[in-house]
Amino acid sequence: MKYPNMLYTALLSAFLVVPFAIATLAPVLEPYPALLLPSGGGTIKTTEDQMDLGRLVIYGRVADRDAWTRLSPPKFLSPIPAEFFSPLVQHYFGLSPVGPIANRTRVGVVITIDTRKVPQEEVKNAKQWLRARLKDSGCDDNVLRITQEVVTFRRSDGTEIAVRSENDKVFDLH
Amino acid sequence: MTKSLIFIERSLTIFWQRLEDTCSNDARSLGLFRIFWGMYILLFFTPYSAFVGQVPQAFYNPPVLSLASLFAGFPPYWLMLAGDLVRIWLVVLITIGIKTRFCTIVLCLLTFISNNFVYSFGKIDHDALVWAVSLCLAFTDWGVPYALVPDRRVNPKVATRALATAGVLIAFGFFTAGFEKALHWINFDLSTGGFLGWFYGGYLILDRKLLLAPLVFRVPPQLFKILDYAAVAFELSPFFFLLAGPAAWRAWLLVATCFHLANALLLNIPFWDHVLVYLPFVAFARSFGRLNVGVRATNAVFSWRVLVIICAIILGAAHTAQRLKGGGSQFLFVEGGSVVSIYLYGSLVLLALCAVMIAIDLTTRVYGTRLYRDSSRRAVPDDARSGPDMADR
């Protein structure tokens, strides 16, 4: 082989750089497998007394009472690791169709990704699974509430000051 | 055109030679690391993906650019379980040293496939570096020393290139983490924070409130800007340390371990799997030179390798039993939602152990180099135990 180091370096670079470039320009298209480590380059304002953070929460109705209880993601999802809670909830556990999602890339191009259409049979199975989990959590297994909340915290000690619901959905599991 | 190509080829030859010198490690050390690697995976990072075969197909949301996107849903439970069991026993074989090279390559490929389905809930975790580095090790002689069925030795050039490639993968991985941070964190705006962005989200939303996390509130937020700059400098610097030489590279690895320790303490984010990424560069044979770890065991009955074989098989059998009962765990056989805190506390111990091992290796390396230089200057016969390549003798 005439230029072995050049060939080796070129192949290795392609293997490393191409997925990185895709993930950087269009995070929604991050390939797998790819040699990437979590970047998380966002910043937060640190000078105000209060700050607003968004969170996704699931609630179960307390059995025989008209009250909701917040469910702990690690316990509710186990053995699914808790880090998958957010994407699962964003897709409403497949219970409700989520329309095509438009994502703007860093170069300004908008990529629209069609979400997978979930057949009725799979929705039925998902409801069955969720009912079992709600029962294990001591909740009424008829309904599941998924809420997008904006929570105001006191920056100095992390005390929760206020909670505002932005998107509240209750799913009938029967 | 040809002259340019020759120039580039020559430059790359020098570049790779430099990396190979920096990353090189003797076969005995790699053999010892192989055993550590296997036991570590069997205890703390065991393959576990069977659970995806038991979740509703409605949850299936694979990455667009991945093999899993070609499939309609999660594979059946029996297939994922079989994949887990095969991988567990491949780890056992690697630990014991049976056809290590073949087993390592198959294990890494199977892991990429299994993990693709695990990451089909809508989020990709970033543990590819562990398996990419392990794949590089398959092309070294790590399956030769202390092995029950040793591999055929590879061309030394291939082995050194494999380790150098592992170094490049680590450096590039960290570059990908630091690049975006550099775009947003490096400024003189003390009213914003990058580290604090991670902290507040983790503490307040994800309940990461253990260890030293509560103490962060006591520190003026502007001071954390220093951490922003330090994190970016650390994550963008590994290529420089790779080129700077063996001691510099291992110093960076020590800093990397401390970085993970700090993240575990302050952000409750444990990256204990990276112990397997940093330790292939540690000269275990040099550091454990006084212990009886000779390739030819003097006492077959009490050979420590027999103990390793027995332990590996017992762990493999224990994992098999747990899986066949329908359970499973990555970390110390612990199941359930409370495993998060166990991961965290366990990771502190593992990362601290990693830091100690790297520090010992670094100290031995630096001290050995200084003694060698002093001896050369005084033109006296070298002490055979104090040369820089003591582990190779």
Side-chain angles (χ1 to χ4, degrees), chain A residues 26-39:
Chain A
V28 70
L29 291 180
E30 181 181 337
Y32 185 83
L35 202 85
L36 301 168
L37 289 180
S39 52

Side-chain angles (χ1 to χ4, degrees), chain B residues 1 9 29-30 107 111 113 125 173 211 216 228 232 347 376 391:
Chain B
M1 177 71 174
E9 178 65 21
S29 292
L30 289 175
L107 171 70
T111 300
I113 294 170
D125 273 351
L211 298 170
V216 172
D228 288 359
V232 172
S347 74
S376 302

Side-chain angles (χ1 to χ4, degrees), chain B residues 177-370:
Chain B
F179 178 76
E180 202 192 311
K181 287 190 184 83
L183 295 177
H184 303 291
W185 291 16
I186 302 299
N187 53 51
F188 295 110
D189 182 2
L190 295 181
S191 69
T192 62
F195 166 82
L196 286 175
W198 277 85
F199 171 74
Y200 288 130
Y203 189 94
L204 301 171
I205 303 298
L206 300 177
D207 278 336
R208 289 176 177 160
K209 296 177 175 173
L210 299 173
L211 298 170
L212 301 185
L215 296 183
V216 172
F217 290 106
R218 297 191 195 178
V219 179
Q222 292 75 15
L223 281 183
F224 285 107
K225 204 68 182 171
I226 300 172
L227 288 187
D228 288 359
Y229 300 143
V232 172
F234 159 69
E235 288 180 342
L236 294 184
S237 65
F239 276 112
F240 299 111
F241 284 88
L242 267 177
L243 292 168
W249 173 237
R250 282 146 185 88
W252 185 89
L253 293 175
L254 180 59
V255 171
T257 313
C258 296
F259 170 78
H260 291 309
L261 265 169
N263 281 342
L265 288 166
L266 294 173
L267 298 176
N268 296 175
I269 298 175
F271 248 93
W272 76 94
D273 47 321
H274 275 201
V275 168
L276 301 178
V277 164
Y278 304 144
L279 290 184
F281 305 97
V282 166
F284 286 97
R286 187 209 315 259
S287 304
F288 290 95
R290 289 191 185 144
L291 299 179
N292 180 17
V293 290
V295 175
R296 292 184 190 83
T298 53
N299 187 337
V301 175
F302 295 108
S303 165
W304 60 274
R305 287 190 286 159
V306 172
L307 190 61
V308 165
I309 292 170
I310 293 170
C311 286
I313 291 173
I314 288 174
L315 284 172
H319 280 298
T320 303
Q322 188 182 33
R323 303 306 164 88
L324 291 176
K325 283 185 190 170
S329 169
Q330 256 199 344
F331 196 94
L332 286 177
F333 299 91
V334 177
E335 297 180 36
S338 60
V339 74
V340 173
S341 57
I342 296 171
Y343 281 175
L344 190 55
Y345 294 120
S347 74
L348 291 180
V349 175
L350 298 170
L351 288 167
L353 179 70
C354 178
V356 166
M357 287 197 269
I358 297 174
I360 291 173
D361 181 56
L362 179 60
T363 310
T364 314
R365 208 175 270 272
V366 169
Y367 181 63
T369 307
R370 278 198 196 140

Side-chain angles (χ1 to χ4, degrees), chain A residues 134-149:
Chain A
L134 283 165
K135 230 174 180 172
D136 289 342
S137 304
C139 295
D140 175 1
D141 66 344
N142 290 310
V143 287
L144 176 72
R145 183 176 153 207
I146 296 177
T147 308
Q148 233 168 348
E149 294 175 344

